[in-house]
Amino acid sequence: RTILKKCHEILLQYRNEHRPRPHRDEKFLVSWNGLMISGLARAAQVLQEEHYLQLAEQAMKFIRTHLIDSSSERLLRVCY
């Protein structure tokens, strides 16, 4: 067990130092934001917590600012 534990530690250290990190997906999806806003609004109503309502309002402001095409006034599906 001692030898296996030491080997595992060596392999884990090597993997952490040499393994390439996965690509991060940085896009914002309107649908996911909509789900979050809905959940926050419900939580604010059920729990009577103003903080959740403020978070939902902030998310809506973000969508209005970044996810609406100003030329066509259409809601974008995704934003980077």
Side-chain angles (χ1 to χ4, degrees), residues 43-57:
Q45 183 180 26
V46 170
L47 301 173
Q48 297 296 307
E49 288 284 340
E50 186 72 24
H51 179 67
Y52 294 128
L53 184 58
Q54 291 171 355
L55 291 173
E57 289 172 348

Side-chain angles (χ1 to χ4, degrees), residues 19 30 56:
R19 181 178 177 185
V30 173

Side-chain angles (χ1 to χ4, degrees), residues 23-29 62 66-67 76-80:
H23 174 72
R24 285 184 47 179
D25 189 3
E26 298 287 337
K27 66 181 170 268
F28 295 95
L29 300 174
F62 177 85
H66 299 288
L67 296 169
L76 302 174
R77 185 177 67 86
V78 65
C79 163
Y80 291 92

